[in-house]
Amino acid sequence: MFRAELIRALRRWRTYLFGAGLAGIPILIVLSLALSSRPPENSPDAPPFLTLILSNGLFAPLTALAVIQPFFLPLGAGLLSGDAIAGEASAGTLRYLLARPVDRTRLIVSKYGFVMFQAAAGVVWVAVVGLVAGGIAFGYGSIPTLSGITIGPGAALLRMVGMAAYLWAGVAGIAAIGIFISTLTDSAPGAAIAPVAVAIVSQILDHVDSVRVIHPYLISHQWLAYLDVFRAAVEWRNVIRGVVTFGVYTALFLGAAVALFRRKDVTS
């Protein structure tokens, strides 16, 4: 089933359009800095690490990953997961897929696994393109941590891998929500919009002080914990909290999707 999903994805134009769009993010960041007549201002609204790219190309992939996290990653996960089951239903192929026969739990888990595989591929692709573009434009070197200690390029790359893995884990719950919504409806666009809306609303609520009591339970509350990876000694507390939160959301909604789909009367 995974191989069939991969072959189908490779035959779709949207796969290559997504890839081109993601590659354009680090390239545009590097080009804008390389062609700028003056260094960017250190604004609080600027992406993390942006002003440091001029001194070290290793910060280009870090900045690009930080840029795609709040919107592009949830958008991609929402579109892919929302289309996973609802897309089959709207195309009229879901009933025939289950008639092969295919176990319904296996179908849900396979669809979810491939969504997460595509999300991982997107994160890796952005990091690699940013690494190449940043190295060509500004070169590589040791980087300062948020604690003021300098670490070498090898250690910096290792922490970049940790950041990428954390960002990937951060959309696991969004993808699970998308799969769950996808089992409720035959409308792929509707199923795709719902998890993206959840991500956006969660980030908005996370900045509203009047609902501070629910902040620790929001899916996006620990998304910025990847910054703790770039301290002299990695602070694991928030990272672990984030991973636990992502795992709980994933288990709840993926489990609900399996339970619902196993009892659903599939007619399309």
Side-chain angles (χ1 to χ4, degrees):
M1 292 180 66
F2 186 90
R3 183 171 62 251
E5 291 289 336
L6 179 61
I7 293 173
R8 184 165 62 171
L10 292 175
R11 291 176 177 173
R12 287 180 170 178
W13 277 106
R14 77 176 188 186
T15 302
Y16 302 98
L17 291 175
F18 283 167
L22 289 175
I25 294 173
I27 291 174
L28 287 175
I29 291 173
V30 170
L31 283 178
S32 65
L33 292 175
L35 300 177
S36 178
S37 58
R38 60 180 183 178
E41 297 180 1
N42 195 4
S43 169
D45 296 327
F49 314 114
L50 179 64
T51 58
L52 299 172
I53 297 177
L54 293 172
S55 61
N56 193 332
L58 285 175
F59 285 107
L62 300 181
T63 302
L65 289 173
V67 167
I68 68 171
Q69 184 201 36
F71 179 72
F72 292 105
L73 268 183
L75 175 63
L79 291 175
L80 294 170
S81 60
D83 184 63
I85 303 298
E88 298 278 5
S90 63
T93 57
L94 183 58
R95 180 175 55 183
Y96 301 104
L97 182 62
L98 293 174
R100 297 174 62 175
V102 174
D103 181 74
R104 295 193 178 197
T105 300
R106 182 186 173 198
L107 177 64
I108 292 291
V109 173
S110 296
K111 289 283 190 181
Y112 177 78
F114 191 70
V115 169
M116 292 306 297
F117 171 77
Q118 290 176 287
V123 170
V124 172
W125 177 237
V126 170
V128 169
V129 173
L131 194 63
V132 172
I136 292 174
F138 304 109
Y140 304 128
S142 300
I143 69 171
T145 65
L146 296 178
S147 303
I149 305 298
T150 300
I151 59 176
L157 286 173
L158 185 60
R159 298 193 184 207
M160 184 192 306
V161 171
M163 173 184 176
Y166 186 80
L167 264 59
W168 172 73
V171 295
I174 297 296
I177 293 172
I179 292 287
F180 173 68
I181 299 298
S182 189
T183 62
L184 296 175
T185 177
D186 293 346
S187 172
I193 291 173
V196 179
V198 169
I200 293 173
V201 171
S202 176
Q203 292 179 79
I204 293 174
L205 292 177
D206 205 21
H207 291 84
V208 179
D209 289 337
S210 59
V211 292
R212 187 180 305 171
V213 66
I214 69 170
H215 285 180
Y217 308 102
L218 295 174
I219 195 169
S220 63
H221 184 63
Q222 297 293 347
W223 275 2
L224 294 181
Y226 67 81
L227 292 172
D228 291 339
V229 175
F230 294 95
R231 302 188 186 279
V234 178
E235 295 185 5
W236 293 105
R237 183 179 62 180
N238 289 331
V239 173
I240 293 174
R241 286 178 178 175
V243 171
V244 170
T245 300
F246 308 149
V248 169
Y249 271 93
T250 301
L252 286 176
F253 283 96
L254 193 61
V258 170
L260 177 66
F261 192 64
R262 287 183 65 86
R263 295 167 174 79
K264 184 176 181 179
D265 184 18
V266 177
T267 58
S268 56

